[in-house]
Amino acid sequence: MPDTFDKLDTLIDHLDLNTRGIVSLIGAGGKTSLMFCLARDLANAGRTVLTTTTTKILMPGPKDSPHTIIAGAIEDLIKASKSFLKTYPHFSAARIRDRRSGKLKGFGPGLINQLWEAHMFDWIILEADGAKRKPLKASNPHEPVIPDRTSHLILVTGLDAVGKPLDEDHVHRAGLFSENTGMGLGSVLDEQAIARGITVEMKKATGFCLGAKSYVFLNKADTGERIRSGQKIARLLQTDPAIGKILIGSLTQGPGIVDSVAGGQVPKRGTGQKESGADK
């Protein structure tokens, strides 16, 4: 398998973002960085892009987004967006800004669907999950908050979790992750446990947006050891029918993709089937 980053294709090529759609980002370990990387690539390709959330995000800086619209009503959001689109191909929006935390509170899935139906943007990219800046997470029953018009679902996982203990310092909702994977609290996180956690999250999330293309992005593959961990996790996930493609890469190096593995593969008879994350 390769051990160098592919700088020929952009992230939007690898994720098949070649028409129009809604991208929902879930998981942990780089969702915000991925959102703005995708927005930058798409805007550079001549597309119009809105970045937002159905949960909460920090106010983006000018390097990530030139402007942020704060609008509680769909009519106000559409009016302001039409004005900004005359100058900027990409900007952000939120419903309100919390005075205490400074975080932006986003829009419900229904309003995202309405905004999409207004046909102003080629792409709406949103964070549909919160992880408190941890590399891994397990979601509550009401999560993630995904619009049903989502065309591309991307679960992000930080490879820096490998080798770390299963605790709240490294996993958002560590107790729930323990229940989902059968791994004891305090145990060292390995590739099989991470693959099992991803399998549980993807099975649930794809039920919120039937028909969407689904991806896993294994982020922070910044060293040879992490690349090898990512490749092992990808092999464990490649027979999962809920996953269309697994990407291993880094949002700081390039950003670039070091490896890509097709998901939904039928396991070969007598090989590695028991290893699959879906079977654990």
Side-chain angles (χ1 to χ4, degrees), residues 4-272:
T4 58
F5 284 87
D6 178 2
K7 295 181 181 179
L8 297 176
D9 293 335
T10 65
L11 286 172
I12 61 176
D13 294 323
H14 283 286
L15 293 166
D16 306 314
L17 305 183
N18 48 23
T19 54
R20 301 177 65 246
I22 298 175
V23 180
S24 290
L25 303 175
I26 64 173
K31 295 189 304 297
T32 302
S33 296
L34 180 58
M35 177 167 70
F36 291 121
C37 281
L38 293 177
R40 182 169 55 250
D41 279 356
L42 288 165
N44 288 339
R47 306 288 184 169
T48 53
V49 187
L50 179 74
T51 44
T52 186
T53 182
T54 53
T55 57
K56 299 177 184 179
I57 58 171
L58 293 171
M59 171 69 80
K63 290 184 179 180
D64 291 326
S65 182
H67 287 283
T68 298
I69 297 170
I70 307 296
I74 183 68
E75 297 82 7
D76 296 334
L77 178 55
I78 290 175
K79 182 178 179 181
S81 295
K82 287 180 178 178
S83 176
F84 278 116
L85 282 171
K86 295 176 183 178
T87 307
Y88 302 102
H90 161 239
F91 49 86
S92 301
R95 181 170 51 87
I96 60 174
R97 184 177 186 183
D98 185 84
R99 291 183 178 180
R100 291 184 179 180
S101 66
K103 287 188 175 182
L104 301 177
K105 295 184 178 181
F107 306 106
L111 194 145
I112 296 292
N113 288 338
Q114 290 182 53
L115 190 60
W116 172 246
E117 291 165 3
H119 298 285
M120 289 189 300
F121 298 98
D122 295 319
W123 291 95
I124 298 175
I125 308 175
L126 59 99
E127 286 198 40
D129 217 354
K132 294 187 177 180
R133 305 180 73 84
K134 310 292 176 59
L136 281 179
K137 79 160 290 183
S139 59
N140 276 329
H142 65 278
E143 297 174 316
V145 187
I146 303 172
D148 58 16
R149 297 292 298 274
T150 292
S151 61
H152 293 67
L153 176 70
I154 306 171
L155 185 148
V156 183
T157 292
L159 289 170
D160 53 332
V162 178
K164 300 298 195 308
L166 173 51
D167 57 27
E168 284 296 337
D169 288 333
H170 303 95
V171 183
H172 185 37
R173 299 199 181 94
L176 185 55
F177 188 94
S178 173
E179 293 177 18
N180 290 345
T181 63
M183 185 179 187
L185 288 171
S187 302
V188 176
L189 291 160
D190 60 14
E191 293 87 354
Q192 289 192 358
I194 291 171
R196 289 197 296 270
I198 290 172
T199 294
V200 171
E201 295 301 320
M202 286 299 281
K203 181 178 181 180
K204 179 171 66 169
T206 53
F208 292 121
C209 51
L210 298 175
K213 295 180 179 180
S214 57
Y215 305 82
V216 171
F217 185 85
L218 301 174
N219 186 29
K220 304 181 185 178
D222 303 317
T223 66
E225 184 176 3
R226 287 185 184 177
I227 290 170
R228 290 188 289 274
S229 288
Q231 290 167 337
K232 183 174 182 180
I233 293 169
R235 289 194 296 271
L236 292 165
L237 294 173
Q238 65 184 358
T239 59
D240 190 330
I243 300 172
K245 187 186 293 184
I246 307 105
L247 301 174
I248 304 161
S250 170
L251 295 174
T252 58
Q253 294 194 25
I257 301 298
V258 70
D259 207 353
S260 174
V261 177
Q265 298 181 31
V266 177
K268 295 179 181 179
R269 187 175 300 175
T271 63

